[in-house]
Amino acid sequence: MVKHNNVIPNGHFRKHWQNYVKTWFNQPARKTRRRQARQKKAVKIFPRPTAGPLRPIVHGQTLKYNMKVRDGRGFSLEELKAAGIPKKLAPTIGIAVDHRRRNRSLESLQANVQRLKTYKAKLVVFPRRARKVKAGDSTPEELANATQVQGSYLPIVRERPSVELVKVTDEMKEFKAYYKLRLERTNKRHYGARLKKAAEAEKEEKKGLYVQGYSPTIHPTTSTDLSSIATFDVLSGSSAPQHSDLTMLRVIYGIMNAISWGILLPIGAITARYLRHIQALGPAWFYAHAGIQLFAFVLGTVGFAIGIRLGEMSPGVEYRLHRKLGIAVFCLGALQTLALLFRPNIRNKFRKYWKSYHHFVGYSCVVHGFVNVFGGFEVMGASRSYATLSYCLGLSTMIGVCIALELNSWVVLCRKSKEEKMRREGLIGSSDKGSSGIHNHN
């Protein structure tokens, strides 16, 4: 008894079964017919080989099959020319020709040329007419001994790579392939720098003394050579070197510029951004901002002049990026100072343009000043000194103070906007309007 709600078996397996079954009862007859066709073809094309014309050895396409060889369509014109066979004669003597093929490998070209030469050496050419023998036809003895080649001739031999077994030595065991690869990669990466360094060292060795015969020659134009000065007495033959120690001047230059462009100028910008909102200060924030910025500009101008003097006293020493940034910072500071003289009234229609100009130039001067201070530390060789560490600590402190003040400003702004919204909705009276001690003065 069938259980569950299944389909009742009702298979019609004997209905038109002949349409779904493939038979092959004529297989033996086809085999016989193919054999007879091959025999008739061999008689018809006698004395040519039954396998057809000779074909070249070619490699398969794509990366997957290019290591395998097979029969090609035909020999190229370059291969026929190298074998000494005219391209119009080749099809008449059983050689397939493919005029579109190009040889891109010397090995395949040589292999196919040798294949053609081997075929040409074994070739027996029957005359078109038995009584009229032409040049290039085989001799009667060769014609008498010639037989028709059945099956493939000059087959392609696919050589399999042979594996050579060797005994593992202690030297092989001690060899570290990973370390060797890392070493070779490092050598390749530093090859250019090492080659340049060796060339410079060889050039320095070849220089020797800067005297040719009894005449002085041109010496190197490095900073050390250009800054070396000596006094020579012709009568006595004595010399006295002169030393110009610029260390103290460089220290003063670095301190003045780091304080002016790297500390005071950002403090002045912070004063203007965050102290102007405090109503209790009144206009004092403006005087503090203007005084700090003016003092920073004056101190920076002195440092800029010292830098120019140091450049004149140090021939052969050029720090182009530091110099260009210093000039840019000084020009931006000068423009910012001149903006104070042309500040329009708060109700003037050009006030908003002046304000945008003032903010853009000020922030640009501060950013360029930071970058150039670090560049100055790098120039003076103090990029990892305590001076750089102290400046970084001070800069981090300023950034932390700015973040705290910025968050406080946003909190106050949100509180004021919320009070204004409640005042418009009538939830609080207008008498509370002046309760807040922070206002925005443009």
Side-chain angles (χ1 to χ4, degrees):
M1 187 69 182
V2 179
K3 294 183 179 181
H4 308 295
N5 189 20
N6 297 327
V7 179
I8 300 176
N10 189 21
H12 295 75
F13 297 111
R14 298 183 181 181
K15 185 177 182 180
H16 305 298
W17 64 273
Q18 298 91 342
N19 297 335
Y20 305 103
V21 176
K22 182 178 181 179
T23 60
W24 199 4
F25 298 136
N26 61 342
Q27 184 178 6
R30 283 193 177 185
K31 182 179 179 181
T32 304
R33 189 162 64 246
R34 285 195 299 268
R35 184 179 70 250
Q36 293 174 355
R38 287 195 299 268
Q39 293 174 355
K40 290 180 181 179
K41 181 181 178 182
V43 172
K44 183 178 180 180
I45 67 175
F46 181 85
R48 290 175 290 176
T50 59
L54 180 68
R55 300 189 183 276
I57 302 174
V58 298
H59 287 262
Q61 300 296 317
T62 72
L63 188 63
K64 185 177 181 180
Y65 301 104
N66 61 1
M67 77 291 295
K68 298 182 179 181
V69 292
R70 60 176 179 83
D71 291 334
R73 183 181 182 87
F75 290 90
S76 66
L77 302 181
E78 187 178 359
E79 292 168 349
L80 294 173
K81 184 177 180 181
I85 302 174
K87 60 181 180 180
K88 293 186 178 179
L89 177 64
T92 64
I93 60 175
I95 299 175
V97 181
D98 186 7
H99 64 89
R100 298 170 298 179
R101 253 189 80 228
R102 298 292 183 271
N103 292 98
R104 306 182 187 276
S105 172
L106 180 62
E107 290 80 4
S108 64
L109 173 65
Q110 293 175 349
N112 286 324
V113 169
Q114 184 61 35
R115 186 177 175 84
L116 287 172
K117 289 181 179 180
T118 305
Y119 175 80
K120 189 177 179 181
K122 297 181 178 181
L123 180 66
V124 177
V125 181
F126 282 76
R128 288 179 178 273
R129 298 179 182 178
R131 297 180 181 180
K132 190 175 182 181
V133 180
K134 294 183 179 181
D137 295 340
S138 299
T139 61
E141 293 78 8
E142 294 176 345
L143 296 178
N145 298 328
T147 58
Q148 188 180 27
V149 179
Q150 301 289 335
S152 61
Y153 56 96
L154 295 180
I156 298 176
V157 180
R158 296 174 175 84
E159 298 180 358
R160 294 187 176 182
S162 59
V163 180
E164 182 181 358
L165 300 178
V166 296
K167 186 178 180 181
V168 179
T169 61
D170 295 336
E171 184 180 357
M172 294 180 182
K173 293 180 180 179
E174 294 176 357
F175 178 73
K176 298 180 179 179
Y178 178 76
Y179 293 157
K180 181 65 175 177
L181 288 175
R182 296 291 297 179
L183 179 62
E184 293 301 327
R185 289 173 184 170
T186 304
N187 293 337
K188 182 181 179 181
R189 184 168 62 251
H190 298 290
Y191 176 75
R194 291 174 180 174
L195 190 66
K196 182 180 178 182
K197 187 176 181 180
E200 292 178 353
E202 184 180 359
K203 187 177 179 181
E204 290 292 334
E205 290 178 1
K206 290 183 178 179
K207 284 183 178 180
L209 298 176
Y210 308 121
V211 179
Q212 185 176 3
Y214 295 97
S215 302
T217 58
I218 299 176
H219 60 78
T221 56
T222 61
S223 59
T224 307
D225 293 313
L226 293 177
S227 60
S228 60
I229 303 173
T231 303
F232 182 73
D233 191 354
V234 181
L235 296 178
S236 62
S238 61
S239 62
Q242 296 181 1
H243 302 281
S244 57
D245 191 6
L246 303 177
T247 305
M248 184 56 66
L249 192 59
R250 289 174 181 171
V251 172
I252 296 173
Y253 161 75
I255 293 174
M256 293 184 67
N257 284 281
I259 293 175
S260 59
W261 304 112
I263 297 178
L264 291 179
L265 204 67
I267 290 177
I270 294 171
T271 303
R273 179 171 179 79
Y274 300 109
L275 297 185
R276 63 175 180 166
H277 302 290
I278 302 176
Q279 184 183 10
L281 294 178
W285 68 266
F286 173 75
Y287 298 114
H289 167 67
I292 293 173
Q293 298 294 75
L294 188 60
F295 178 69
F297 178 70
V298 172
L299 190 62
T301 303
V302 176
F304 181 74
I306 295 175
I308 294 177
R309 181 57 182 166
L310 279 174
E312 294 176 354
M313 296 173 64
S314 305
V317 180
E318 292 186 4
Y319 303 104
R320 298 182 179 178
L321 180 61
H322 183 63
R323 178 182 297 179
K324 292 177 181 178
L325 285 176
I327 294 173
V329 171
F330 177 75
C331 294
L332 291 172
L335 291 174
Q336 192 74 339
T337 306
L338 291 175
L340 181 64
L341 304 177
F342 302 100
R343 185 168 67 104
N345 193 282
I346 193 172
R347 292 183 177 83
N348 195 305
K349 63 179 181 179
F350 296 105
R351 176 75 176 197
K352 58 180 181 179
Y353 302 111
W354 178 89
K355 189 176 180 180
S356 301
Y357 158 80
H358 189 60
H359 288 177
F360 175 75
V361 175
Y363 291 135
S364 301
C365 186
V366 170
V367 172
H368 283 78
F370 284 148
V371 175
N372 207 29
V373 167
F374 284 105
F377 284 132
E378 188 72 26
V379 165
M380 296 179 66
S383 58
R384 297 186 178 182
S385 63
Y386 289 105
T388 308
L389 179 61
S390 302
Y391 179 74
C392 290
L393 291 176
L395 185 61
S396 303
T397 304
M398 281 195 296
I399 293 175
V401 171
C402 290
I403 293 174
L405 292 175
E406 191 71 24
L407 292 176
N408 181 64
S409 300
W410 278 101
V411 170
V412 172
L413 181 62
C414 294
R415 186 183 301 170
K416 288 183 62 178
S417 62
K418 185 176 181 180
E419 291 179 358
E420 290 292 336
K421 183 178 179 181
M422 295 175 65
R423 188 177 294 108
R424 286 195 301 269
E425 294 176 356
L427 299 178
I428 59 175
S430 59
S431 59
D432 300 334
K433 185 175 181 180
S435 59
S436 179
I438 300 177
H439 295 280
N440 188 3
H441 292 278
N442 294 325

